[in-house]
Amino acid sequence: VTPAPGQEREAAYQLIETELAALAMALDDPVSRLNEVHRSRASIMDRLTQLQHRAMCVHYQPQVDPLTGDLVGCEALLRVHDDQQQAQPPGDLLAVLGKAALLPELDLWVLSAVAAQVRDWQGRLPARFRVAVNVSPCTFTHASAVERLVQLAAPMGDRLVIEITEETFLGAEQVVVDAIQQLRRAGVRIHIDDFGTGYSSLSYLRKFPFDKIKIDQSFVRQLPDDPESAAIVRAIITMGA
């Protein structure tokens, strides 16, 4: 994922300006403030350099049918290489990219990598095998990103699962619905992840066309002993049926 030069400079400027303003407000000691500013700037630039140099890869976590033991799919997970070239979870890099408005580009890079991998696997995959990819909420509100998303997704058809969160529907609901419908027309399956956290509304289950609902573990782990959790899970299942 390599931002265009102007975009990269603007992203770096945006990030540094935001971080430095926050630090200036939070710290009263001028010496500590200056040291913290320099550390923050160095950290931000290091993370942007990671992005520019494509020090990232996609790992695939297997998904197994608990009843048969059959391999039925996998989840694509972004990993970032550290100084020892070990692949690590992205951590706060995603927050930094979010501030720089680069998450749509990152999502497209991941999906492009997944599409290439699925092509490589073609002919060796079980019929039911599907690959799940998480897509950031902001990607669905950029028309050009959605267009490219559909282009990358279409060749994979129903082998691809796009996982989204409830946050995706905050704000421009109709824009998101249109994007989801485009993906579904291409054969892509849409799953909602961690349902029941943060922005929960059972009305989402009636208004939007999901193929699967993944209920947040904070409810599931209490079953069957907690009556409130059981009632919530029953309601979600009923609304999503």
Side-chain angles (χ1 to χ4, degrees):
V1 183
T2 306
Q7 184 183 14
E8 182 182 336
R9 286 194 298 271
E10 178 60 26
Y13 175 79
Q14 228 178 2
L15 284 167
I16 293 168
E17 183 180 49
T18 302
E19 295 289 335
L20 299 193
L23 287 168
M25 293 294 292
L27 299 173
D28 295 326
D29 181 3
V31 175
S32 297
R33 182 186 306 169
L34 183 61
N35 289 338
E36 190 64 32
V37 163
H38 284 303
R39 283 195 295 270
S40 180
R41 184 183 187 280
S43 174
I44 292 167
M45 295 310 296
D46 282 347
R47 283 174 284 181
L48 286 173
T49 300
Q50 279 185 318
L51 179 65
Q52 182 183 7
H53 291 171
R54 305 189 181 201
M56 297 180 296
C57 61
V58 177
H59 284 193
Y60 296 89
Q61 180 173 283
Q63 296 175 332
V64 177
D65 187 318
L67 298 179
T68 66
D70 294 338
L71 181 66
V72 295
C74 62
E75 181 174 2
L77 302 173
L78 178 68
R79 292 295 180 259
V80 179
H81 293 126
D82 61 19
D83 294 338
Q84 286 73 46
Q85 291 304 302
Q86 298 296 311
Q88 305 290 344
D92 61 354
L93 177 63
L94 297 183
V96 172
L97 297 182
K99 291 179 182 178
L102 292 175
L103 282 178
E105 187 174 350
L106 180 63
D107 284 342
L108 294 174
W109 181 87
V110 170
L111 192 59
S112 179
V114 169
Q117 185 63 72
V118 170
R119 285 195 300 271
D120 185 60
W121 284 336
Q122 202 67 36
R124 293 177 285 160
L125 296 175
R128 294 174 54 205
F129 191 94
R130 295 188 173 91
V131 183
V133 180
N134 290 281
V135 175
S136 307
C138 57
T139 299
F140 285 93
T141 59
H142 289 73
S144 59
V146 170
E147 182 180 0
R148 181 61 180 148
L149 196 67
V150 174
Q151 289 172 352
L152 290 168
M156 290 181 276
D158 67 356
R159 286 208 183 275
L160 178 65
V161 173
I162 297 280
E163 293 195 345
I164 59 178
T165 63
E166 296 161 80
E167 185 183 353
T168 305
F169 301 103
L170 293 180
E173 284 190 2
Q174 191 55 50
V175 172
V176 173
V177 170
D178 291 344
I180 288 176
Q181 288 175 341
Q182 289 183 60
L183 288 165
R184 286 176 64 87
R185 283 195 293 269
V188 177
R189 293 170 177 263
I190 306 295
H191 292 183
I192 185 164
D193 198 13
D194 296 333
F195 187 84
T197 60
Y199 306 95
S200 300
S201 172
L202 290 177
S203 65
Y204 291 149
L205 305 184
R206 288 295 189 201
K207 293 165 65 176
F208 303 109
F210 303 119
D211 294 288
K212 183 181 288 187
I213 303 161
K214 296 169 70 175
I215 301 172
D216 185 68
Q217 62 178 336
S218 62
F219 297 115
V220 177
R221 73 162 65 99
Q222 305 296 330
L223 299 177
D225 301 321
D226 180 39
E228 290 185 359
S229 293
I232 292 169
V233 169
R234 279 196 297 270
I236 293 172
I237 292 171
T238 300
M239 292 289 286

